[in-house]
Amino acid sequence: EDCAVCKGEFKGENCENCAEHYYPKESCEVYCPPAPNRYTCTDQGQKQCLQNRTGSHCEECISNHYGDDCSKFCQETDNYTCDEYGGKLCKQHFYPAEKCDINCEPVPGNFTCNQTTGQKICASGKAGSDCDRCENMNKEGENCDNCKQFFYGPECTIYCKPEDGFYDCSENGTKVCHDNTTTAENDCQPGQLKQQNQDIALIAGAGGGGGIFITLAITVVLLKMRRGKNEDKAEELEDHTNMNNKNEEAQYSTVNNSRSESTQQHGDSNLPEENTEVYSHINRKRQKKINMNDKEPSLDEDAMYSKIHPQKRKKYRLRLCVDTTA
């Protein structure tokens, strides 16, 4: 028999070897040609799938892998699904493409969404990261079309808060005085407050109406009011002290006259006990005032007085005066 030509699954001089892609070598009965990007073959002729492949012929990608070589990974989430090539397909309201990590669901009246980036586009008049507040801080309402309390005008730029006893506010924010003798320019207040309002207007005007200048103006006015109150109290105290002095002088004079008459009638040793005690008490207080008024201030008092702020010296002098007359 001529063995020059071997069967298809054999090769060699005596046909003792397996032809290419035939396995196993003992029988050469299994044909297994490898498939690029899919599988190789074992020495027994079994198909061995490449990485990320599965199936009887390694024709499928394992779960969450895509592409010709099953190397593209994509796992569906709440934000996106995956196409046949492993690309991300954003679900509704998720942006941008291939990332799908920004959620933007339009809110009517507040914002819409940029279809490329997913950034919020605030509606007219709205502001903030969520477009949930009014761009004009003096406005309010779902559509920012209402003025906040005490603000008036088309853009809510006029401020007017009613002041009990002085004025109310009209629909356009102008002051309506209760007293016909006052004016809105002066906050409908009496003349004694006119200068204070002028101070506020002057300083606010110099600063262009800035908040810091308005604060400074109010501070100046309050200081003036406080100083005025302190001066009024000082004058009241001084009047009260003078009145007490006059009353004591009158009482001293009355008792002294009475004592003189009693002395003439009864002599010093026979004065009524009650008159003697009253006279002694008043005389001691009178002598104490004389001694205190004659006393020179000590070095410590001079040093302390020199350190007092100029605006407080008048008050301090008054306090010294009251202390010395107590």
Side-chain angles (χ1 to χ4, degrees):
E1 183 178 356
D2 186 4
C3 292
V5 179
C6 299
K7 291 182 179 180
E9 64 269 28
F10 296 99
K11 69 177 181 178
E13 184 177 353
N14 299 312
C15 301
E16 72 277 11
N17 297 321
C18 293
E20 187 177 15
H21 306 316
Y22 282 89
Y23 306 90
K25 63 181 180 179
E26 294 82 8
S27 61
C28 303
E29 59 186 4
V30 178
Y31 179 69
C32 181
N37 296 327
R38 291 177 63 186
Y39 61 84
T40 58
C41 298
T42 68
D43 55 5
Q44 296 299 312
Q46 301 298 317
K47 295 175 182 178
Q48 186 173 17
C49 294
L50 297 178
Q51 187 177 14
N52 301 328
R53 283 198 172 273
T54 188
S56 59
H57 299 288
C58 305
E59 73 279 8
E60 300 175 359
C61 293
I62 62 174
S63 178
N64 302 324
H65 287 77
Y66 301 85
D68 291 339
D69 58 359
C70 300
S71 61
K72 184 66 179 280
F73 177 81
C74 180
Q75 184 175 8
E76 183 177 351
T77 68
D78 292 336
N79 298 6
Y80 58 83
T81 58
C82 305
D83 63 20
E84 58 181 322
Y85 302 104
K88 295 178 181 178
L89 298 176
C90 296
K91 293 182 179 180
Q92 189 177 19
H93 307 313
F94 286 92
Y95 310 86
E98 289 298 313
K99 289 187 176 181
C100 312
D101 55 355
I102 296 177
N103 176 254
C104 183
E105 186 172 352
V107 176
N110 279 18
F111 62 87
T112 57
C113 302
N114 183 303
Q115 296 300 302
T116 301
T117 65
Q119 297 300 316
K120 295 174 182 177
I121 304 173
C122 292
S124 178
K126 291 297 184 72
S129 58
D130 293 324
C131 307
D132 55 355
R133 63 177 179 82
C134 297
E135 185 176 20
N136 185 334
M137 301 300 291
N138 297 337
K139 290 186 175 183
E140 62 183 2
E142 183 177 353
N143 298 318
C144 296
D145 50 4
N146 298 323
C147 292
K148 289 184 177 180
Q149 187 179 22
F150 307 133
F151 287 91
Y152 302 85
E155 295 301 319
C156 306
T157 55
I158 301 174
Y159 179 79
C160 181
K161 182 179 179 180
E163 186 72 23
D164 290 342
F166 293 105
Y167 61 85
D168 293 321
C169 300
S170 67
E171 293 182 356
N172 59 7
T174 57
K175 297 172 183 176
V176 182
C177 299
H178 294 174
D179 186 348
N180 293 334
T181 63
T182 59
T183 62
E185 290 75 11
N186 193 34
D187 290 339
C188 305
Q189 298 180 16
Q192 62 181 350
L193 300 178
K194 183 175 183 180
Q195 184 60 44
Q196 296 168 7
N197 289 303
Q198 289 177 347
D199 290 341
I200 293 178
L202 177 62
I203 296 178
I212 186 172
F213 293 98
I214 294 176
T215 302
L216 177 61
I218 294 174
T219 302
V220 169
V221 172
L222 290 177
L223 287 175
K224 285 186 176 183
M225 293 176 66
R226 181 176 296 178
R227 185 176 64 184
K229 290 180 179 179
N230 288 339
E231 290 176 352
D232 291 342
K233 289 182 179 180
E235 291 177 0
E236 181 180 349
L237 182 58
E238 185 176 3
D239 291 342
H240 180 70
T241 302
N242 291 336
M243 180 63 70
N244 286 341
N245 289 339
K246 290 180 180 179
N247 291 337
E248 288 183 0
E249 288 293 336
Q251 185 179 9
Y252 177 80
S253 178
T254 301
V255 173
N256 194 39
N257 292 337
S258 176
R259 185 173 186 275
S260 298
E261 293 176 1
S262 298
T263 301
Q264 293 174 3
Q265 296 176 8
H266 309 287
D268 289 340
S269 60
N270 297 321
L271 283 175
E273 183 178 349
E274 180 180 356
N275 288 351
T276 301
E277 291 180 357
V278 172
Y279 177 80
S280 299
H281 174 70
I282 295 176
N283 196 43
R284 282 197 300 272
K285 291 183 64 176
R286 179 182 176 86
Q287 188 61 41
K288 183 178 179 180
K289 293 178 183 179
I290 294 173
N291 293 339
M292 291 296 291
N293 290 335
D294 291 341
K295 181 182 176 181
E296 292 294 331
S298 66
L299 293 177
D300 291 339
E301 290 176 341
D302 283 339
M304 181 176 66
Y305 178 75
S306 64
K307 294 180 180 179
I308 296 178
H309 193 277
Q311 293 182 0
K312 296 182 180 180
R313 287 179 181 172
K314 180 176 180 180
K315 182 178 179 180
Y316 180 72
R317 289 197 299 269
L318 176 61
R319 186 171 64 79
L320 286 179
C321 177
V322 173
D323 288 344
T324 59
T325 58

